[in-house]
Amino acid sequence: MKVYIKHIIITLLSILAVLSCKKNEPTLTEEPILMSFKEAGQTKALLDSATFATNGNQIQVYDFYTDANESESIYINDIATSSGNGTWPFTESHKWTTDGVHKFFGWMTNDASSGLAATDLFTSEDFTFDEGSKILTLPTTTLTQESPQFDFMYSNIHERNLNTNPYFTAVPLEFSHLFTAFRVTAANNSSNDVWLKKVSINGLKNTRGASIDYSGAEPAVSFTAPIGQDNFVYNVSDDGMLMTKGQTYYVTPEDFQIMWPHTRDDFADAEIVLDYKYKEPSAATTIDGNTTIYLKDLMSWKGGQKNSLGLMFKDKEISLTCKVEPWTVVADMIDFSDQITISNPITWVPNSVESVDYNKGEVVLYTDSYSVAVCNFCIDTPAGATWTASLIPIEGYSDAFKILDNTKYGTVGV
């Protein structure tokens, strides 16, 4: 999913009182700092394009600013909150400086669609960001079946050097998913009647921590060594759930369970244990079954992946497949402002019109009925809106010209 977000256009407060007496305040432009956020994950965890824009979602944004004298300070330390209608206002206001280097990054702090915050999953006193080292610490946390399903997302780093290339277009940040996710399905492809009772996933390394280092050009994510493992037990039915042949059933909830990423070595002692009963076509009674499938050959579960473990009952065997399902990427435009901004004013293609007066905003078209006048432009915000083109003749007949099909309307931001 791609999500683009822009900052509101307001004035910037002084950085810090202790800094204002040591150096000159940066000179500000009239240009607002605009940002575009998009999801960069490989698979779907818990957030999608719709839930990302839910009213009340919050993102922590940092901008470290280095002035012309190589003095670094925090220019933006602010929360952006989704209004649910395409705008994400900041608590404070921010405009571009005339020079210097800006370094942007951030992470999601509140998921209003689930009613969860990062501190619901991580203990607040240990969930810290060191502004000196630029390291975000995610404390050691045990993920269980009952853990709050907060889909923690973190951004890349975007650097804008206004000393060498002073441009003020939107700042792109790509948000990735820290966790992996999994679910278990089961299907009966055998000639027997099968009743599934319980599925246990044993030995998952579900206790660890992580850190994200934003001091370089790209965020460096590292995970602590796992310090514990746990069993995830899914009681399907005490009497057993009859599995109709050819139909797939969700053993775990249909939504995915978040989990710390796993390497292949992390699966060394992991296994799936199945309790079930079955009856062969010619048999009069059922037989209890218990099967263990070892997971040591599973491929790594990486952050931003959703892993679907598929159990298949076949004649004389039960097989397991692990499928990494692709994330559904959906483009979505969100901005921090209701203001109209235009990055490319209207320009007419040479020789497609007779003459243009850009100062007056007037164009003279050819009288040749086969000639097509072509112009280009780009309206950036408010994202998600629709622009409409219309002809306003200065003189002559109002119906002497027409706009070609499929060019009268368009999407803002394209």
Side-chain angles (χ1 to χ4, degrees), residues 1 39 43-54 57 108 110-114 149-153 177 327-328:
M1 130 187 124
E39 183 185 41
T43 59
K44 180 183 179 299
L46 303 172
L47 286 170
D48 56 26
S49 59
T51 54
F52 191 96
T54 300
N57 280 2
M108 194 166 190
N110 186 75
D111 175 14
S113 60
S114 65
Q149 299 294 289
F150 182 80
D151 181 15
F152 183 79
M153 299 182 69
H177 299 253
W327 209 301
T328 302

Side-chain angles (χ1 to χ4, degrees), residues 17-284:
V18 294
L19 293 178
S20 62
C21 63
K22 295 181 180 180
K23 66 182 184 67
N24 294 329
E25 292 294 330
T27 304
L28 304 182
T29 69
E30 291 301 317
E31 296 289 338
I33 295 179
L34 311 177
M35 305 186 74
S36 62
F37 293 1
K38 72 175 182 179
E39 183 185 41
Q42 297 174 330
T43 59
K44 180 183 179 299
L46 303 172
L47 286 170
D48 56 26
S49 59
T51 54
F52 191 96
T54 300
N55 183 22
N57 280 2
Q58 293 183 336
I59 297 171
Q60 169 70 54
V61 177
Y62 269 92
D63 172 19
F64 280 79
Y65 171 68
T66 302
D67 63 20
N69 297 319
E70 300 298 321
S71 177
E72 186 182 71
S73 60
I74 298 175
Y75 192 68
I76 295 177
N77 173 10
D78 206 353
I79 293 289
T81 303
S82 173
S83 65
N85 60 4
T87 61
W88 292 64
F90 272 103
T91 305
E92 301 295 341
S93 55
H94 314 284
K95 288 188 177 181
W96 284 107
T97 58
T98 57
D99 57 13
V101 179
H102 292 264
K103 185 176 182 178
F104 299 90
F105 54 86
W107 56 87
M108 194 166 190
T109 61
N110 186 75
D111 175 14
S113 60
S114 65
L116 296 173
T119 51
D120 289 321
L121 181 60
F122 305 110
T123 54
S124 57
E125 60 270 19
D126 296 324
F127 179 83
T128 58
F129 178 65
D130 188 308
E131 295 177 347
S133 64
K134 301 185 181 70
I135 294 178
L136 176 66
T137 299
L138 307 174
T140 299
T141 302
T142 299
L143 299 179
T144 68
Q145 292 173 250
E146 292 77 31
S147 293
Q149 299 294 289
F150 182 80
D151 181 15
F152 183 79
M153 299 182 69
Y154 65 95
S155 81
N156 66 337
I157 297 171
H158 178 80
E159 185 175 285
R160 184 70 59 85
N161 191 330
L162 303 181
N163 299 321
T164 59
N165 191 12
Y167 66 102
F168 308 113
T169 57
V171 175
L173 288 183
E174 297 183 353
F175 280 78
S176 299
H177 299 253
L178 178 75
F179 294 117
T180 189
F182 74 91
R183 70 180 175 193
V184 181
T185 63
N188 180 16
N189 196 34
S190 71
S191 57
N192 303 322
D193 291 331
V194 177
W195 291 264
L196 186 61
K197 293 183 178 181
K198 182 173 69 174
V199 176
S200 303
I201 308 175
N202 303 330
L204 288 183
K205 304 297 192 295
N206 64 324
T207 302
R208 65 197 322 167
S211 64
I212 305 174
D213 188 344
Y214 282 105
S215 62
E218 290 294 334
V221 181
S222 59
F223 297 94
T224 62
I227 62 174
Q229 62 185 39
D230 207 346
N231 300 334
F232 288 69
V233 180
Y234 301 95
N235 292 297
V236 180
S237 172
D238 291 339
D239 296 326
M241 177 188 68
L242 176 62
M243 294 196 298
T244 303
K245 293 179 178 63
Q247 185 171 345
T248 299
Y249 297 87
Y250 291 104
V251 176
T252 58
E254 185 173 352
D255 290 337
F256 285 77
Q257 163 78 49
I258 63 171
M259 177 54 58
W260 289 106
H262 276 53
T263 65
R264 294 194 70 176
D265 290 341
D266 291 332
F267 288 117
D269 301 321
E271 62 186 18
I272 293 181
V273 179
L274 291 81
D275 290 322
Y276 57 94
K277 61 182 180 181
Y278 67 96
K279 183 170 70 72
E280 296 179 351
S282 59

Side-chain angles (χ1 to χ4, degrees), residues 348 363 365 389-394 398-403 408:
W348 292 88
V363 60
L365 307 184
S390 59
L391 292 170
I392 306 176
I394 297 175
S398 60
D399 60 351
F401 306 96
K402 71 174 183 178
I403 298 176
K408 187 173 183 178

Side-chain angles (χ1 to χ4, degrees), residues 402-409:
K402 71 174 183 178
I403 298 176
L404 293 186
D405 294 339
N406 300 320
T407 64
K408 187 173 183 178
Y409 306 97

